Amino acid sequence: MPLPDISVVIPARNEGAKLAPTIQSIARTRTTEARVEFVIVDDASIDDTVACLVAAVPELLKEARIDIQVHRLEEQQGIYKTRNHAASFASGEILFGTDAHVRFSEGWDELVLYHLAPNRVLSGTTAVPGSPFRGYGCDLLIPFMGTSWNNGPVDGVAHVPIAPCHATVMPRELFNRLGGYDSGMILYGAGEAEFSIRAWLQGADVMVVGDLLVEHEFKPKDVLANFIDEVRSFWIHNCIRFGFLYLSELGCMQMLRYYSLQYPELFSEALHRVNESDVWQRRAFLEEHQRRPFQWLVDYFGMKNQAGGEII
């Protein structure tokens, strides 16, 4: 039986010349005969991202058993909608969602093919160049509705609440059945956590693979701080939306209190934007389709709130 194809889906915005080395590295670290396609969607970059990639394609295609698709959005959609666009163009049976500035460990494809199952999301282990850091998926922080790294270690595979966007693998059929990333999330923040929680509640498993390393080049601290400042109002919106989708009424009140105290200058605008959205229709839809209640997930992972208390 032929091995299934793998589609590596990458959203990109203002990534310049970083994409070509990423593609080359991923292609060269395979150890199986699986065909791999790269689906790149440029999120309305204002630099030379597409030009750099197109110029590199003839050389990249000399790598055996790869194909490359390049698509461009004319208006910025944000990381989650761009990931959905990339997935919609993919033809492989398996989706490996990642970023434009990563390196995969040798034999990544063999690990994916061995551990993946029809109702399973895999998380790669996050590494940082030149650092001993390892992130074995992420934990959920409540009422912040953000994430923290699970520092493991993990020998083999283990259940984890959240798979990070740059290291998320699943059957394409499962991605489609889950509905992709929440299109109500704006630009950046909370979308990867919401997707993994939704996968859990709809009956899938999320598992981190200890040996599947994804070396990720994170933004320098000053660049990251400026970026977060630019997207903070949208990020707060996304976290509140995330909480409204899954938390109890008391949990939602706790979350709102947290954000009103932490970000009083941005809170009202974010809350208004959430209330003007489809959040309550979306919650009703999710509750109709989920097989597990949110409390099941809390109990399964023994989740506590950020103060170490019970989640209400």
Side-chain angles (χ1 to χ4, degrees), residues 123-128 132-138 149 164 166-167 208-210 212-216 218:
S123 170
T125 297
T126 299
V128 175
F133 171 83
R134 295 290 185 271
Y136 298 91
C138 298
W149 290 108
H166 58 267
V208 62
V209 183
L212 177 55
L213 295 185
V214 177
E215 190 175 82
H216 188 276
F218 290 94

Side-chain angles (χ1 to χ4, degrees), residues 156 158 162 171 179 181 183 189 198 203 241 260 262 290 305:
I162 295 164
Y181 289 93
S183 61
R198 178 161 27 105
R241 177 181 174 88
S260 67
Q262 290 291 319
Q290 68 190 34
N305 66 25

Side-chain angles (χ1 to χ4, degrees), residues 18-311:
K18 292 180 180 179
L19 277 163
T22 291
I23 292 171
Q24 188 174 65
S25 170
I26 294 171
R28 289 180 176 177
T29 49
R30 292 170 296 167
T31 55
T32 74
E33 294 299 313
R35 184 181 68 83
V36 174
E37 69 170 0
F38 293 86
V39 185
I40 317 298
V41 175
D42 177 79
D43 190 16
S45 292
I46 57 175
D47 71 352
D48 57 354
T49 292
V50 171
C52 285
L53 182 57
V54 169
V57 163
E59 187 66 27
L60 291 170
L61 288 179
K62 293 179 182 178
E63 303 287 346
R65 308 182 314 284
I66 72 166
D67 298 309
I68 301 173
Q69 300 183 45
V70 184
H71 305 273
R72 175 176 167 82
L73 302 175
E74 295 305 320
E75 294 185 4
Q76 186 181 3
Q77 299 292 308
I79 188 169
Y80 309 115
K81 291 181 181 178
T82 305
R83 288 188 188 280
N84 288 343
H85 278 292
S88 73
F89 292 116
S91 63
E93 296 176 29
I94 296 170
L95 298 182
F96 196 136
T98 191
D99 287 342
H101 31 79
V102 298
R103 299 292 184 271
F104 290 2
S105 56
E106 187 83 14
W108 63 268
D109 54 331
E110 188 171 352
L111 288 168
V112 165
L113 295 172
Y114 182 78
H115 290 292
L116 198 61
N119 209 33
R120 178 179 293 174
V121 177
L122 296 181
S123 170
T125 297
T126 299
V128 175
S131 167
F133 171 83
R134 295 290 185 271
Y136 298 91
C138 298
D139 297 320
L140 180 63
L141 298 177
I142 298 173
F144 169 51
M145 304 311 292
T147 61
S148 63
W149 290 108
N150 176 3
N151 294 319
V154 170
D155 183 19
V157 298
H159 285 138
V160 67
I162 295 164
C165 275
H166 58 267
T168 298
V169 192
M170 73 200 81
R172 182 158 56 97
E173 187 277 332
L174 176 59
F175 182 87
N176 292 337
R177 177 156 45 91
L178 293 171
Y181 289 93
D182 181 4
S183 61
M185 298 293 185
I186 306 173
L187 287 187
Y188 179 85
E192 58 191 330
E194 190 281 329
F195 180 86
S196 288
I197 297 306
R198 178 161 27 105
W200 271 112
L201 299 187
Q202 292 193 24
D205 291 334
V206 181
M207 305 190 75
V208 62
V209 183
D211 292 335
L212 177 55
L213 295 185
V214 177
E215 190 175 82
H216 188 276
E217 180 187 332
F218 290 94
K219 291 179 172 64
K221 289 184 177 179
D222 57 337
V223 175
L224 178 62
N226 290 334
F227 172 75
I228 293 297
D229 284 343
E230 291 174 0
V231 302
R232 192 179 301 278
S233 64
F234 304 118
W235 167 60
I236 294 171
H237 161 277
N238 292 352
C239 289
I240 293 174
R241 177 181 174 88
F242 182 19
F244 279 176
L245 291 177
Y246 298 104
L247 295 181
S248 68
E249 183 176 352
L250 287 176
C252 288
M253 292 175 64
Q254 187 183 48
M255 175 190 64
L256 293 176
R257 181 177 183 274
Y258 171 85
Y259 276 105
S260 67
L261 293 175
Q262 290 291 319
Y263 303 102
E265 74 285 1
L266 298 174
F267 173 72
S268 294
E269 177 188 351
L271 181 59
H272 175 74
R273 188 180 284 123
V274 173
N275 282 329
E276 290 295 305
S277 75
D278 68 340
V279 65
W280 302 118
Q281 296 94 320
R282 177 72 173 170
R283 178 171 178 132
F285 174 84
L286 293 175
E287 288 179 342
E288 180 181 348
H289 288 81
Q290 68 190 34
R291 295 171 54 188
R292 299 160 170 163
F294 184 73
Q295 186 61 44
W296 176 91
L297 192 68
V298 170
D299 294 340
Y300 185 79
F301 284 106
M303 293 180 182
K304 303 293 183 181
N305 66 25
Q306 289 161 238
E310 296 299 317
I311 294 173

